Amino acid sequence: MQLPRDVVVGTGVINDITDVCDDLKLGDKALIVTGDNTRKIAGDIVHDELEDKGRSVEMYTSSSATMDEVRRVEDEAMKYGSNYLLGVGSGNSIDIAKLAATELDIPFLSVPTAASHDGIVSSRASIIHDSKTTSIQSKAPMAVVADTEIIANAPYRLLAAGCGDIVSNYTAVLDWELANRLKNESFSEYAASLSRMTAKILLDSADSIKPELESSARLVVKALVSSGVAMSIAGSSRPASGSEHMFSHALDSIAPGSALHGEQCGLGTIMMMYLHGGDWQMIRDGLKKIRAPTTAEELGVEDKYIIEALLISHTIRQERYTILGTSGLTRDAAEAVAKTTKVIS
Ligand SMILES: [Zn+2]
């Protein structure tokens, strides 16, 4: 199992970045991967903090998580002889740093500026390759430094999306249990229980998840870390990614760029829970309290794309057996699930 060694969560912890690097004995040369906006919010702080303590720091600003950008970061790291990478941003920067560090075989630290998905702690990198987003197995971050003040000040929509990614654990675990029973797929009770418990704690606290509250940011970050640990125990993303994630990826392929990953996964969880015969209303109510989208309209996606995505979801990751089976839903069934769960009207 690969787990982060240091997980630092709290107010102003970004200013402790040098202590974390020293604790891990990472060496003197750092390369920061950050984004245009996140540089101003956090990248510059990390840079100045390390430089003030006498470290040699380079910074690379990137706008998209493409394979070309990963290569460029690798070239920069080799040019400067960087000992480790820091991904400072909401998602793209962390994904780039994660994959580049894996290929260079050097450590990387995750410094998230938002809590919108579990990629901030996981060992998988979402990278655009040949204009398709693929999830690539990588290193887990050696440390996660999550400043809740910065995360609470990020657009609330991102935090609500993070909750959608965590709620996914419910159906991901049900899918995994199904695959274990039907296909004898190996199953970890520890990973499944941790994953399910994480989603339950989050939904039980749905009333207290609100904009600009550091306590909300802390709650969601801890849940994302916990989901990441469940995936590390399982050695795969199984505990946190099932049919609801396949629905989200299907939507990406037909209606790209319209909504956030976690928003799509949350909405997918409502429908997949219905297919499992579970308490989909509980999922829907929880997401509504958090103010995450529960309808196609709130997601900003036309009804027809929801149906099309449901029809192709089973083709997305065929080795991963889920409630969608090997032949998926009929059109009638897809319309029924979307209408019954009030995703479309
Ligand atoms: Zn996800």
Side-chain angles (χ1 to χ4, degrees), residues 116-119 126 161-162 164-166 168-169 224 231 237 240-241 244-245 248-249 261-262 265:
S116 56
H117 56 84
D118 56 30
S126 285
D165 208 16
I166 295 156
S168 300
N169 294 7
L224 292 171
M231 287 189 269
S237 60
S241 170
E244 75 300 319
H245 268 69
S248 171
H249 295 311
H261 168 81
C265 290

Side-chain angles (χ1 to χ4, degrees), residues 27-31 47 50-51 53-58 80-84:
D28 282 340
K29 292 181 184 166
L31 173 63
H47 177 274
L50 285 164
E51 203 171 65
K53 302 266 166 63
R55 312 302 144 87
S56 138
V57 200
E58 302 294 335
Y80 297 116
S82 310
N83 303 113
Y84 63 102

Side-chain angles (χ1 to χ4, degrees), residues 265-300:
C265 290
L267 188 105
T269 306
I270 302 172
M271 295 189 287
M272 298 310 154
M273 196 58 149
Y274 170 84
L275 293 178
H276 274 288
D279 190 355
W280 59 269
Q281 285 101 335
M282 180 263 297
I283 306 286
R284 185 171 186 269
D285 291 348
L287 289 172
K288 271 183 156 320
K289 281 181 197 164
I290 294 162
R291 284 186 273 163
T294 61
T295 65
E297 196 182 353
E298 286 168 3
L299 199 65

Side-chain angles (χ1 to χ4, degrees), residues 169-188:
N169 294 7
Y170 274 111
T171 43
V173 169
L174 287 174
D175 284 326
W176 195 14
E177 286 171 336
L178 192 65
N180 173 249
R181 287 195 296 268
L182 286 177
K183 305 284 174 189
N184 203 29
E185 189 179 308
S186 67
F187 179 78
S188 158

